């Protein structure tokens, strides 16, 4: 089932919701590849970034930080697909949800994923 509508939602706070999108498919006979993609947008209120080059004096608010995680289970018989989806969501609720609920998580995630100004992005890494 590939759908753009959310399959399930978990509310973190008044304005943050984890949405699960179902991208499951049949991959062989009666067996399914159960795949849920969890996404959540966090507003980064009070954060600003400087714009480089000739606009050095201007500042702008950062856009929302987006958390994405893929939850998967392979070789699930047709009769167990819904049960596998519920189990994946329940595992997410137990293990990941407490981290997402932390008030400082969005800011930590945004800074951890920000490109490092000292790193060099190369298509092919040099080997020694």
């Amino acid at each position: 089932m590939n759908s753009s509508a959310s399959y399930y939602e978990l509310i973190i706070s008044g304005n943050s919701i984890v949405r699960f999108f179902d991208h499951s498919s049949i991959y062989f006979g009666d067996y399914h590849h159960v795949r849920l993609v969890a996404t959540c947008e966090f507003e980064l209120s009070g954060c600003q970034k400087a714009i480089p080059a000739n606009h050095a004096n201007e500042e702008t608010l950062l856009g929302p930080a987006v958390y994405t995680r893929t939850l998967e289970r392979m070789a699930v018989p047709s009769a167990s697909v819904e049960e596998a989806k519920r189990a994946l969501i329940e595992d997410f609720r137990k293990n990941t949800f407490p981290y997402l609920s932390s008030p400082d998580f969005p800011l930590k995630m945004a800074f951890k994923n920000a490109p490092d100004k000292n790193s060099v992005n190369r298509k092919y890494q040099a080997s020694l």
Side-chain angles (χ1 to χ4, degrees):
M1 174 183 163
N2 291 326
S3 173
S4 61
S6 63
Y7 171 76
Y8 190 81
E9 295 181 349
L10 286 173
I11 297 173
I12 293 176
S13 65
N15 59 354
S16 295
I17 299 172
V18 179
R19 289 183 172 85
F20 295 87
F21 297 93
D22 186 3
H23 295 281
S24 301
S25 61
I26 297 174
Y27 77 94
F28 180 76
D30 188 40
Y31 294 98
H32 293 253
H33 174 198
V34 175
R35 184 172 180 246
L36 299 176
V37 177
T39 61
C40 184
E41 287 188 4
F42 295 96
E43 291 298 325
L44 299 174
S45 59
C47 297
Q48 296 183 345
K49 68 176 181 178
I51 299 174
N54 57 357
H55 301 290
N57 295 333
E58 296 180 25
E59 291 187 349
T60 182
L61 293 178
L62 290 173
V66 180
Y67 173 85
T68 303
R69 182 164 178 202
T70 302
L71 313 169
E72 297 179 287
R73 196 153 293 158
M74 295 292 293
V76 178
S78 292
S80 302
V81 169
E82 288 301 316
E83 180 182 331
K85 290 177 188 177
R86 284 192 300 273
L88 288 171
I89 292 170
E90 188 56 33
D91 287 346
F92 182 90
R93 183 191 309 264
K94 286 180 186 175
N95 300 311
T96 306
F97 196 72
Y99 294 104
L100 296 178
S101 300
S102 170
D104 59 344
F105 175 80
L107 199 55
K108 285 182 180 180
M109 180 185 69
F111 285 120
K112 180 181 176 200
N113 293 328
D116 184 10
K117 64 181 177 185
N118 295 326
S119 68
V120 176
N121 293 326
R122 296 187 176 131
K123 185 173 182 180
Y124 301 103
Q125 295 294 325
S127 60
L128 301 174

PDB file of all heavy atoms in Angstrom, residues 44-57:
ATOM      1  N   LEU A  44      11.787  25.590  15.021  1.00  0.00           N
ATOM      2  CA  LEU A  44      12.951  26.022  15.788  1.00  0.00           C
ATOM      3  C   LEU A  44      12.764  27.483  16.183  1.00  0.00           C
ATOM      4  O   LEU A  44      13.399  28.376  15.632  1.00  0.00           O
ATOM      5  CB  LEU A  44      14.221  25.832  14.969  1.00  0.00           C
ATOM      6  CG  LEU A  44      14.523  24.396  14.568  1.00  0.00           C
ATOM      7  CD1 LEU A  44      15.725  24.334  13.647  1.00  0.00           C
ATOM      8  CD2 LEU A  44      14.754  23.540  15.797  1.00  0.00           C
ATOM      9  N   SER A  45      11.897  27.713  17.114  1.00  0.00           N
ATOM     10  CA  SER A  45      11.594  29.083  17.527  1.00  0.00           C
ATOM     11  C   SER A  45      12.782  29.686  18.268  1.00  0.00           C
ATOM     12  O   SER A  45      13.459  29.018  19.032  1.00  0.00           O
ATOM     13  CB  SER A  45      10.355  29.106  18.417  1.00  0.00           C
ATOM     14  OG  SER A  45      10.578  28.301  19.553  1.00  0.00           O
ATOM     15  N   GLY A  46      13.034  30.949  17.981  1.00  0.00           N
ATOM     16  CA  GLY A  46      14.100  31.671  18.658  1.00  0.00           C
ATOM     17  C   GLY A  46      15.478  31.433  18.087  1.00  0.00           C
ATOM     18  O   GLY A  46      16.447  31.955  18.589  1.00  0.00           O
ATOM     19  N   CYS A  47      15.591  30.624  17.041  1.00  0.00           N
ATOM     20  CA  CYS A  47      16.888  30.342  16.437  1.00  0.00           C
ATOM     21  C   CYS A  47      17.040  31.164  15.176  1.00  0.00           C
ATOM     22  O   CYS A  47      16.103  31.307  14.409  1.00  0.00           O
ATOM     23  CB  CYS A  47      17.010  28.863  16.073  1.00  0.00           C
ATOM     24  SG  CYS A  47      16.938  27.801  17.504  1.00  0.00           S
ATOM     25  N   GLN A  48      18.230  31.681  14.985  1.00  0.00           N
ATOM     26  CA  GLN A  48      18.501  32.454  13.780  1.00  0.00           C
ATOM     27  C   GLN A  48      19.816  32.003  13.185  1.00  0.00           C
ATOM     28  O   GLN A  48      20.694  31.530  13.887  1.00  0.00           O
ATOM     29  CB  GLN A  48      18.547  33.951  14.082  1.00  0.00           C
ATOM     30  CG  GLN A  48      17.234  34.497  14.573  1.00  0.00           C
ATOM     31  CD  GLN A  48      17.294  35.986  14.802  1.00  0.00           C
ATOM     32  OE1 GLN A  48      18.352  36.573  14.867  1.00  0.00           O
ATOM     33  NE2 GLN A  48      16.133  36.599  14.912  1.00  0.00           N
ATOM     34  N   LYS A  49      19.964  32.154  11.878  1.00  0.00           N
ATOM     35  CA  LYS A  49      21.229  31.854  11.220  1.00  0.00           C
ATOM     36  C   LYS A  49      21.633  33.062  10.391  1.00  0.00           C
ATOM     37  O   LYS A  49      20.793  33.791   9.882  1.00  0.00           O
ATOM     38  CB  LYS A  49      21.114  30.619  10.329  1.00  0.00           C
ATOM     39  CG  LYS A  49      20.237  30.794   9.100  1.00  0.00           C
ATOM     40  CD  LYS A  49      20.267  29.562   8.246  1.00  0.00           C
ATOM     41  CE  LYS A  49      19.400  29.767   7.000  1.00  0.00           C
ATOM     42  NZ  LYS A  49      19.416  28.638   6.122  1.00  0.00           N
ATOM     43  N   ALA A  50      22.919  33.260  10.289  1.00  0.00           N
ATOM     44  CA  ALA A  50      23.424  34.374   9.494  1.00  0.00           C
ATOM     45  C   ALA A  50      23.501  33.954   8.042  1.00  0.00           C
ATOM     46  O   ALA A  50      23.823  32.820   7.719  1.00  0.00           O
ATOM     47  CB  ALA A  50      24.802  34.779   9.991  1.00  0.00           C
ATOM     48  N   ILE A  51      23.196  34.883   7.138  1.00  0.00           N
ATOM     49  CA  ILE A  51      23.293  34.633   5.704  1.00  0.00           C
ATOM     50  C   ILE A  51      24.668  35.106   5.251  1.00  0.00           C
ATOM     51  O   ILE A  51      25.030  36.255   5.496  1.00  0.00           O
ATOM     52  CB  ILE A  51      22.187  35.380   4.931  1.00  0.00           C
ATOM     53  CG1 ILE A  51      20.829  34.893   5.404  1.00  0.00           C
ATOM     54  CG2 ILE A  51      22.340  35.193   3.436  1.00  0.00           C
ATOM     55  CD1 ILE A  51      19.676  35.655   4.811  1.00  0.00           C
ATOM     56  N   PRO A  52      25.475  34.227   4.612  1.00  0.00           N
ATOM     57  CA  PRO A  52      26.832  34.607   4.217  1.00  0.00           C
ATOM     58  C   PRO A  52      26.856  35.562   3.027  1.00  0.00           C
ATOM     59  O   PRO A  52      25.839  35.920   2.475  1.00  0.00           O
ATOM     60  CB  PRO A  52      27.462  33.262   3.853  1.00  0.00           C
ATOM     61  CG  PRO A  52      26.315  32.408   3.456  1.00  0.00           C
ATOM     62  CD  PRO A  52      25.149  32.870   4.280  1.00  0.00           C
ATOM     63  N   ALA A  53      28.075  35.925   2.637  1.00  0.00           N
ATOM     64  CA  ALA A  53      28.368  36.760   1.468  1.00  0.00           C
ATOM     65  C   ALA A  53      27.913  38.200   1.686  1.00  0.00           C
ATOM     66  O   ALA A  53      28.090  38.751   2.756  1.00  0.00           O
ATOM     67  CB  ALA A  53      27.773  36.170   0.203  1.00  0.00           C
ATOM     68  N   ASN A  54      27.296  38.815   0.669  1.00  0.00           N
ATOM     69  CA  ASN A  54      26.994  40.235   0.729  1.00  0.00           C
ATOM     70  C   ASN A  54      25.804  40.556   1.633  1.00  0.00           C
ATOM     71  O   ASN A  54      25.507  41.711   1.862  1.00  0.00           O
ATOM     72  CB  ASN A  54      26.745  40.787  -0.677  1.00  0.00           C
ATOM     73  CG  ASN A  54      25.635  40.050  -1.389  1.00  0.00           C
ATOM     74  OD1 ASN A  54      25.086  39.087  -0.852  1.00  0.00           O
ATOM     75  ND2 ASN A  54      25.320  40.480  -2.591  1.00  0.00           N
ATOM     76  N   HIS A  55      25.129  39.573   2.157  1.00  0.00           N
ATOM     77  CA  HIS A  55      23.998  39.798   3.066  1.00  0.00           C
ATOM     78  C   HIS A  55      24.396  39.466   4.503  1.00  0.00           C
ATOM     79  O   HIS A  55      23.583  39.000   5.280  1.00  0.00           O
ATOM     80  CB  HIS A  55      22.803  38.935   2.658  1.00  0.00           C
ATOM     81  CG  HIS A  55      22.328  39.192   1.268  1.00  0.00           C
ATOM     82  ND1 HIS A  55      21.704  40.343   0.896  1.00  0.00           N
ATOM     83  CD2 HIS A  55      22.415  38.428   0.154  1.00  0.00           C
ATOM     84  CE1 HIS A  55      21.412  40.292  -0.394  1.00  0.00           C
ATOM     85  NE2 HIS A  55      21.836  39.137  -0.864  1.00  0.00           N
ATOM     86  N   ALA A  56      25.646  39.721   4.849  1.00  0.00           N
ATOM     87  CA  ALA A  56      26.188  39.307   6.145  1.00  0.00           C
ATOM     88  C   ALA A  56      25.445  39.910   7.332  1.00  0.00           C
ATOM     89  O   ALA A  56      25.414  39.333   8.404  1.00  0.00           O
ATOM     90  CB  ALA A  56      27.664  39.651   6.227  1.00  0.00           C
ATOM     91  N   ASN A  57      24.853  41.077   7.168  1.00  0.00           N
ATOM     92  CA  ASN A  57      24.172  41.716   8.288  1.00  0.00           C
ATOM     93  C   ASN A  57      22.739  41.243   8.482  1.00  0.00           C
ATOM     94  O   ASN A  57      22.132  41.522   9.489  1.00  0.00           O
ATOM     95  CB  ASN A  57      24.169  43.238   8.105  1.00  0.00           C
ATOM     96  CG  ASN A  57      25.574  43.793   8.166  1.00  0.00           C
ATOM     97  OD1 ASN A  57      26.451  43.214   8.805  1.00  0.00           O
ATOM     98  ND2 ASN A  57      25.792  44.917   7.496  1.00  0.00           N
TER      99      ASN A  57
END
